[in-house]
């Protein structure tokens, strides 16, 4: 009997040890925005002690971290990724300069605010549902998670670690659990924080952040995986009392159902990292990871006593290597967007792949062409998913067209008398081709303009666009450097332009393009050739009309359309002008007869700006411009001066008439010093040297001519305090024009000093 008892005891120990050896561990990761990145630190600590993870469920940020781990990435690799510049760009809705496509960017204008609306609803469908555009986020999730899940038959049980995530069906007020399908799509739905990123549809259901109804999916863990022990990582709480001015807090309170963060049984433990990281503080992810790691350390000894099973680090690395070697590389051989055949957009396929040549896109080609397509103004949003073929993938694009109409509002509003409003309206269409009709107007006493254009883009891997345009410009200069509300003297110079033509554009890489332009123009300048005139005097006026043809190469990766602090800019432009001049003398003119002349000339212009030092707190740029112009003399000094190229590297110089910075041939070089003292606040100092090569001169008898310049060097200085707000720059500026009677000019202004292109100047 004693022998039988011994055998029974040994069998009991064997069964117990066998059960412990098969002990399965589940990890539950809560939501929490940027604070949810602390889960990486928890994973890191668990792996260091060899604590196995057999199943993962996650919500929102927990779904992101958990899915990366389930795709076979180590905590160290995930940490490196979220600390990268790419991740910071993803979370802010921005793109690196090398992913932007200059060819499809709209011509710059003075808009500070844009909104779109549809033909069938001006308000109902026009309010934006996102603060950031998740273009890079969606692409990266497709690249990492989409290839993995598609290679594993879109079965989340076949991932390196079986995985579940939850999203919220706000129509039916219920939580949705994903166990299969496109992993990147499922995680994207789980992360869709209301009003931060736009919602998506899966199986025709609109989905939002999983944390709205289930911010700690421990119930999913129990129901789907039945683990022996659960480790929870919780960085979220149910909403507390909110401030009546907390917009996101109020929205969150309205939409969120309280979550039960307790484990339903004793076989588990919850780690609660204490993170002082806000929901959108993604610049603090390093701190969040460290907080998660430190918090997990406190539980490791207890976990080791409970969990007898351990996994060897080398064994884990080997298993990861085997798993990831089974994932097919991202080579795309076909494109579809057949989720709704009525909306099939041929333009997208033709922009990405040359189907007639059976082209297979490498990851590098796909990325370049994908973001080129996304730059199309007629496209609002793209959600990419993958379907595995033999050794390649089909890329399926769920494309949301941009709303038909876009309105732009802006201008430049200054303490000087040069205030200018801006209003633009664009109609956009997308199908087999992309087209747009655009009309805009600048309005103000100093500057007024009206422009209309029609643009048609023929889709191709190497696209080309053709546009026709018509423009009216008017400048009304004052004999005053007035500040604030001083009265200004009567106009002494008015310039009117009208021109129309055709432009053909084509890309040269992502940040460069070529433009060929042919136009007819008519220019009228009304001016006085003396400062001693009265309201009874009549002005001289010169009419110059003809045709001009230009070729332009532009490379631009600057971070802003004005007052930039990083990136590079290069412009080369060649223009041929042929026209006929008629100058009619006024009552103060030294000329008595009308003068008619034929003119033709060639103008070459180049401009370079490069920020050679680009740090977080300091930026140093080099800015230079050179002009070579073979222009002939007009009838008088003022008419000739007005037709000459001008130095305009300081934006405010465009709002003054500065004869000392006009010449047919010149070189100018300057330095830009920018100190970023706080987020979006810069102290800026710009200094330039202007050296004319040939000067326009006037003799005492009124005759004019060109002569070589020797001692005519001039300078220009500008200093500003700028706040780059989400709706345009607000600045206080002091400009120094040393050859003016009042060299220092101070102004407070808001908006952009941007005007429509001049006819020939």
């Amino acid at each position: 009997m004693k022998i039988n008892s011994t055998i029974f005891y040994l069998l009991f120990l064997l069964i117990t040890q066998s059960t412990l050896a098969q002990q399965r561990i589940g990890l539950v990761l809560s939501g929490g925005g940027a604070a949810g990145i602390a889960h990486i630190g928890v994973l890191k600590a668990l792996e260091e002690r060899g604590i196995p993870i057999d199943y993962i469920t996650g919500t929102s940020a927990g779904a992101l971290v958990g899915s990366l781990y389930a795709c076979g990435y180590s905590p160290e690799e995930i940490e490196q990724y979220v600390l990268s510049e790419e991740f910071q760009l993803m979370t802010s809705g921005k793109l690196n300069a090398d992913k932007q496509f200059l060819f499809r960017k709209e011509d710059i204008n003075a808009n500070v605010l844009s909104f779109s609306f549809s033909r069938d609803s001006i308000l109902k469908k026009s309010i934006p549902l996102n603060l950031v555009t998740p273009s890079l986020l969606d692409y990266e999730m497709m690249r990492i998670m989409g290839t993995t899940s598609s290679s594993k038959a879109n079965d989340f049980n076949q991932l390196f670690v079986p995985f579940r995530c939850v999203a919220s069906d706000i129509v039916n007020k219920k939580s949705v659990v994903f166990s299969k399908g496109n992993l990147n799509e499922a995680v994207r739905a789980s992360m869709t924080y209301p009003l931060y990123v736009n919602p998506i549809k899966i199986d025709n259901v609109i989905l939002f952040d999983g944390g709205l109804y289930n911010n700690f999916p421990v119930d999913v863990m129990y129901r789907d995986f039945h683990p022996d022990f659960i480790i929870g990582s919780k960085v979220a709480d149910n909403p507390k009392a909110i401030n009546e001015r907390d917009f996101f807090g109020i929205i969150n309170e309205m939409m969120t159902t309280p979550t039960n963060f307790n484990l339903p049984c004793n076989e588990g433990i919850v780690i609660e990292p204490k993170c002082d990281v806000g929901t959108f503080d993604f610049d603090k992810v390093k701190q969040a990871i460290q907080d998660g790691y430190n918090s997990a350390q406190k539980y490791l000894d207890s976990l080791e006593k409970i969990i007898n099973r351990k996994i060897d680090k080398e064994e884990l690395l080997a298993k990861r290597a085997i798993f990831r070697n089974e994932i097919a590389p991202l080579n795309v051989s076909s494109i579809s967007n057949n989720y709704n055949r009525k909306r099939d957009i041929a333009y997208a396929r033709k922009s990405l792949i040359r189907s007639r040549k059976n082209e297979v896109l490498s990851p590098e080609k796909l990325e370049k062409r994908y973001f080129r397509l996304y730059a199309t103004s007629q496209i609002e949003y793209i959600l990419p998913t993958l379907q595995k073929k033999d050794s390649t993938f089909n890329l399926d694009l769920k494309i949301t067209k941009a709303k038909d109409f876009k309105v732009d509002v802006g201008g430049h509003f200054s303490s000087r008398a040069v205030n200018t409003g801006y209003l633009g309206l664009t109609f956009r269409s997308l199908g087999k081709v992309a087209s747009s009709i655009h009309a805009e107007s600048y309005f103000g006493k100093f500057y007024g303009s009206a422009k209309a254009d029609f643009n048609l883009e023929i889709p191709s891997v190497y696209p080309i666009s053709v546009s026709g345009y018509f423009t009216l410009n008017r400048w009304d200069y004052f004999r005053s450097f007035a500040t604030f509300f001083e009265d200004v003297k009567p106009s002494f110079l008015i310039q009117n332009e009208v021109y129309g033509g055709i432009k053909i554009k084509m890309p040269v890489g992502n940040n460069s393009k070529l433009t060929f332009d042919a136009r007819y123009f008519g220019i009228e300048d009304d001016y006085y050739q003396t400062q001693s005139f009265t309201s009874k005097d009549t002005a001289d006026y010169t009419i110059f009309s003809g045709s001009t043809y230009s070729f332009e190469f532009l490379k631009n990766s600057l971070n802003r359309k004005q007052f930039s602090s990083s990136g590079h800019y290069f412009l080369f432009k060649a223009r041929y002008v042929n026209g006929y001049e008629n100058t009619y003398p006024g009552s103060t003119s030294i000329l008595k007869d009308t003068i008619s002349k034929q003119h033709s000339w060639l103008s070459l212009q180049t401009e370079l700006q490069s920020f050679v030092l680009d740090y977080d707190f300091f930026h140093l740029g080099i800015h230079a411009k050179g002009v070579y112009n073979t222009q002939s003399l007009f009838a008088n000094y003022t008419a000739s001066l007005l037709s000459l190229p001008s130095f305009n590297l300081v934006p405010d110089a465009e709002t003054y008439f500065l004869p000392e910075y006009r010449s047919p041939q010149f070189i100018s070089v300057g330095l830009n010093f920018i100190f970023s003292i706080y987020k979006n606040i810069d102290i800026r100092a710009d200094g330039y040297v202007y050296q004319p090569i040939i000067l326009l001169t006037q003799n005492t008898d009124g005759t004019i001519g060109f002569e070589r310049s020797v001692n005519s060097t001039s300078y220009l200085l500008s200093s500003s305090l700028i706040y780059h707000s989400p709706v345009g720059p607000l600045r206080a500026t002091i400009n120094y024009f040393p050859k003016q009677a009042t060299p220092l000019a101070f102004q407070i202004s808001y908006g952009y000093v941007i005007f429509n292109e001049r006819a020939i100047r």
Side-chain angles (χ1 to χ4, degrees), residues 179-444:
S179 61
K180 60 183 179 179
N182 295 296
L183 179 61
N184 63 300
E185 197 174 37
V187 176
R188 169 66 169 81
S190 184
M191 295 170 55
T192 303
Y193 194 93
L195 300 182
Y196 189 70
V197 293
N198 57 287
I200 65 171
K201 272 187 177 182
I202 300 179
D203 296 331
N204 211 34
V205 177
I206 299 175
L207 297 170
F208 276 94
D209 194 292
L212 297 179
Y213 302 145
N214 188 351
N215 211 13
F216 192 60
V218 67
D219 58 327
V220 178
M221 175 63 72
Y222 270 108
R223 184 177 65 247
D224 282 26
F225 296 124
H226 310 290
D228 300 298
F229 191 85
I230 289 180
I231 301 171
S233 180
K234 168 184 170 292
V235 294
D237 284 305
N238 288 314
K240 299 178 181 178
I242 57 173
N243 187 290
E244 69 275 11
R245 294 181 177 272
D246 181 1
F247 176 76
F248 281 107
I250 292 173
I251 294 295
N252 194 46
E253 180 70 25
M254 291 169 60
M255 300 183 68
T256 302
T257 299
T259 295
N260 183 1
F261 290 101
N262 297 317
L263 298 181
C265 64
N266 295 325
E267 287 80 20
I269 195 168
V270 178
I271 300 169
E272 298 187 49
K274 301 301 180 184
C275 293
D276 187 20
V277 176
T279 303
F280 306 115
D281 292 341
F282 288 99
D283 56 338
K284 298 180 180 178
V285 292
K286 188 173 184 179
Q287 175 189 330
I289 294 170
Q290 191 61 48
D291 290 340
Y293 182 82
N294 293 339
S295 296
Q297 291 290 330
K298 302 173 185 177
Y299 295 86
L300 294 179
D301 291 339
S302 298
L303 287 171
E304 283 187 325
K305 293 177 182 178
I306 300 170
I307 302 171
N308 295 326
R309 173 173 156 245
K310 281 197 172 185
I311 187 164
D312 181 71
K313 185 75 171 179
E314 295 301 319
E315 179 188 348
L316 193 58
L317 288 173
K319 287 183 177 180
R320 282 201 176 103
I322 293 170
F323 178 84
R324 286 167 60 176
N325 283 334
E326 295 172 350
I327 308 304
L330 182 56
N331 293 315
V332 170
S333 59
S334 61
I335 308 292
S336 65
N337 52 313
N338 295 320
Y339 68 102
N340 185 338
R341 291 185 178 181
K342 293 181 180 179
R343 292 188 178 183
D344 182 51
I345 301 171
Y347 173 91
R349 294 195 307 276
K350 292 179 180 179
S351 297
L352 286 174
I353 197 166
R354 291 178 287 190
S355 55
R356 290 183 180 179
K357 294 187 177 182
N358 297 319
E359 185 180 23
V360 175
L361 296 180
S362 66
E364 294 75 21
K365 280 186 178 180
L366 174 63
E367 181 180 275
K368 178 183 288 187
R369 294 181 190 177
Y370 177 86
F371 286 106
R372 283 185 169 191
L373 175 65
Y374 219 129
T376 306
S377 63
Q378 289 85 352
I379 292 177
E380 180 178 338
Y381 178 66
I382 302 175
L383 180 64
T385 55
L386 297 170
Q387 290 85 40
K388 185 73 167 61
K389 300 171 76 172
D390 292 335
S391 59
T392 62
F393 292 94
N394 174 76
L395 175 64
D396 189 68
L397 303 175
K398 294 185 178 180
I399 296 177
T400 303
K401 292 182 182 180
K403 297 178 180 68
D404 300 323
F405 293 95
K406 180 169 75 79
V407 176
D408 296 305
V409 179
H412 177 237
F413 307 97
S414 170
S415 55
R416 292 178 52 234
V418 291
N419 297 302
T420 305
Y422 173 82
L423 182 64
L425 176 65
T426 306
F427 172 76
R428 303 172 290 197
S429 178
L430 184 66
K432 292 183 178 180
V433 298
S435 62
S436 64
I437 301 173
H438 175 74
E440 66 182 23
S441 175
Y442 289 83
F443 44 92

Side-chain angles (χ1 to χ4, degrees), residues 28 39 85 134 152 160 179 258 289 306 330 332 354 365 376 380-381 427 525 556 558 599 665 675 682 684 738 746:
V28 180
H39 300 317
E85 181 185 4
K152 294 297 179 180
F160 183 72
S179 61
I289 294 170
I306 300 170
L330 182 56
V332 170
R354 291 178 287 190
K365 280 186 178 180
T376 306
E380 180 178 338
Y381 178 66
F427 172 76
D525 294 333
N556 185 4
L558 296 176
H599 297 274
Q665 298 173 21
F675 299 89
D682 292 342
R684 185 183 185 101
F746 172 76

Side-chain angles (χ1 to χ4, degrees), residues 452-500:
D453 64 71
F454 171 75
N455 186 75
L456 181 69
E457 184 189 322
I458 302 168
S460 170
V461 170
Y462 303 102
I464 186 171
S465 74
V466 180
S467 61
Y469 59 89
F470 179 80
T471 305
L472 296 168
N473 284 327
R474 176 184 174 89
W475 281 268
D476 189 348
Y477 292 90
F478 313 105
R479 287 192 304 162
S480 174
F481 274 33
T483 301
F484 294 102
F485 300 104
E486 296 178 14
D487 291 333
V488 297
K489 296 181 180 180
S491 305
F492 75 100
L493 167 61
I494 296 176
Q495 295 182 302
N496 290 284
E497 298 181 342
V498 55
Y499 62 88

Side-chain angles (χ1 to χ4, degrees), residues 124-142:
K124 185 178 178 181
K125 298 181 182 179
S126 301
I127 299 174
L129 293 175
N130 55 293
L131 291 177
V132 302
T133 301
S135 54
L136 182 58
L137 172 68
D138 290 327
Y139 184 84
E140 285 291 289
M141 291 173 66
M142 179 271 293

